[in-house]
Amino acid sequence: MTPRTGTACACTNIALVKYWGKRDADANRPAAGSISLTLAGLVTRTTVTFDRPAGYDCLTLNGAPQTGESLARVSRFLDLVREAAGSRDGASVESANSFPTGSGLASSAAGFAALAVAAARAGDLGLEPTQLSALARRGSGSAARSIFGGFVELRAEGADPRALQLLSETEWDLRMIIAVVGGGSPKAVSSRSGMVHTAQTSPLYPGWLASVPSDLAVARAAILDRDLATLGEVAERSALTMHASAMAARPGLIYFQPTTLALMQAVIELRRRGIAAWFTIDAGPHVKVLTTPEHAAKLAEVLGAVPGVTSVLTSRPGPGAV
Ligand code: PMV
């Protein structure tokens, strides 16, 4: 019997070598690769049921019915699944996050990974994890990585780019501290449009793209060697280079707030005092800090005391989507 419903859970991920720019927008192919860490406990749970008339998808997010662009984006994604399944049926989609939506905590990564797995199951597509990764990418580039646990690389090459796992969540025990700035309010410019604007207008975009291949090679080797200092250095410079390209766009995209800069300085100072700590920042003001299990409590305490930090989450390597 064909299953008509599917439920999936996916954890978010934070990129250590950032994805910022597309090779083509229609198929959502990235211009360069990226490497991330999937995070335990920051989960989206989604149920897709094909039980509605054609053209009448509905979506609830954290219990609230969605309309407009967020529903349209999910419908366009479901069209890919309908096409593969040979169906036109509308779907009910219920999704809930365990963390703030649209805040730079990469909710689209967990969201589209969970949607891909749930919809593929509901449509009985029988896809392998790498095929699910390619499907999730059509919704959001970062979602391709959340199909897998632990350390994950999204390769840019090929007609249908997909992610692969470098190390599983049990193979290297690290911590990521997330310092939430300004209450996790929705950001002004989404990563999706911010990276397109950067590619179209920033004179620094070619320099950013040219920096990615060597960062990927260094990060990949550092992960396989469990070399945290090298991985941390690459993560910081990848984030700073990405933000430099975005700031130089016209008009400039500034995702940092004063608290973001204070946190960056605090991390640099802690490192000077011998604490293993390296920051990364996405398309929002929050600061994510890579560290060891031994240093996690101290870091969370110090970062939580920086004025403007509203909460601190401590996460560890998490599993792939199920
Ligand atoms: O895949 P998107 O559209 O959510 O873009 C992700 C962009 C960053 O979070 C800033 C970087 C990344 O690689 O996750």
Side-chain angles (χ1 to χ4, degrees):
M1 198 188 85
T2 307
R4 303 293 298 152
T5 188
T7 295
C9 288
C11 297
T12 194
N13 70 75
I14 299 297
L16 302 172
V17 177
K18 299 297 184 193
Y19 154 55
W20 195 253
K22 297 176 196 298
R23 172 149 56 100
D24 78 89
D26 284 347
N28 207 31
R29 285 187 276 240
S34 55
I35 290 179
S36 61
L37 177 59
T38 300
L39 293 182
L42 300 168
V43 181
T44 299
R45 181 189 170 90
T46 298
T47 297
V48 175
T49 309
F50 286 108
D51 60 354
R52 294 180 57 86
Y56 287 91
D57 293 330
C58 67
L59 167 67
T60 64
L61 185 55
N62 300 320
Q66 305 290 305
T67 55
E69 183 49 28
S70 79
L71 173 60
R73 202 172 155 193
V74 165
S75 283
R76 285 195 296 274
F77 183 83
L78 290 173
D79 287 344
L80 301 169
V81 174
R82 281 187 276 257
E83 197 185 317
S87 157
R88 297 183 64 238
D89 293 348
S92 313
V93 180
E94 273 178 45
S95 191
N97 290 335
S98 69
F99 54 92
T101 302
S103 61
L105 291 185
S107 55
S108 70
F112 277 99
L115 182 66
V117 176
R121 174 79 186 142
D124 198 23
L125 300 187
L127 301 183
E128 301 290 323
T130 53
Q131 296 171 308
L132 288 167
S133 172
L135 176 63
R137 189 205 77 237
R138 302 293 296 271
S140 161
S142 56
R145 302 183 308 238
S146 273
I147 296 298
F148 298 102
F151 293 86
V152 180
E153 177 168 4
L154 172 57
R155 306 296 296 253
E157 305 81 51
D160 203 14
R162 58 205 52 205
L164 56 93
Q165 188 178 61
L166 297 173
L167 280 186
S168 83
E169 64 276 21
T170 59
E171 290 180 288
W172 192 11
D173 193 22
L174 290 178
R175 294 292 178 273
M176 192 167 266
I177 315 288
I178 300 172
V180 178
V181 173
S185 57
K187 62 199 170 207
V189 180
S190 69
S191 48
R192 171 164 278 246
S193 49
M195 66 176 77
V196 171
H197 175 66
T198 302
Q200 287 172 345
T201 67
S202 174
L204 300 192
Y205 180 72
W208 150 250
L209 270 192
S211 77
V212 179
S214 60
D215 282 353
L216 285 172
V218 175
R220 202 183 292 130
I223 287 166
L224 298 178
D225 289 349
R226 275 69 154 183
D227 176 351
L228 180 58
T230 301
L231 182 61
E233 272 170 40
V234 179
E236 269 194 18
R237 74 172 182 242
S238 176
L240 291 171
T241 309
M242 174 205 124
H243 280 276
S245 74
M247 282 185 207
R250 299 183 182 173
L253 295 174
I254 302 172
Y255 290 105
F256 299 169
Q257 290 180 13
T259 305
T260 313
L261 286 167
L263 284 162
M264 290 156 72
Q265 297 295 0
V267 168
I268 292 166
E269 173 58 23
L270 284 160
R271 197 160 66 230
R272 215 183 46 78
R273 290 200 262 135
I275 298 202
W278 292 267
F279 62 77
T280 182
I281 302 155
D282 294 297
H286 316 302
V287 177
K288 294 102 177 185
V289 182
L290 196 59
T291 188
T292 60
E294 299 74 45
H295 288 153
K298 175 73 184 163
L299 260 175
E301 184 194 320
V302 173
L303 300 179
V306 171
V309 173
T310 48
S311 62
V312 174
L313 313 172
T314 300
S315 186
R316 62 182 72 211
V322 289

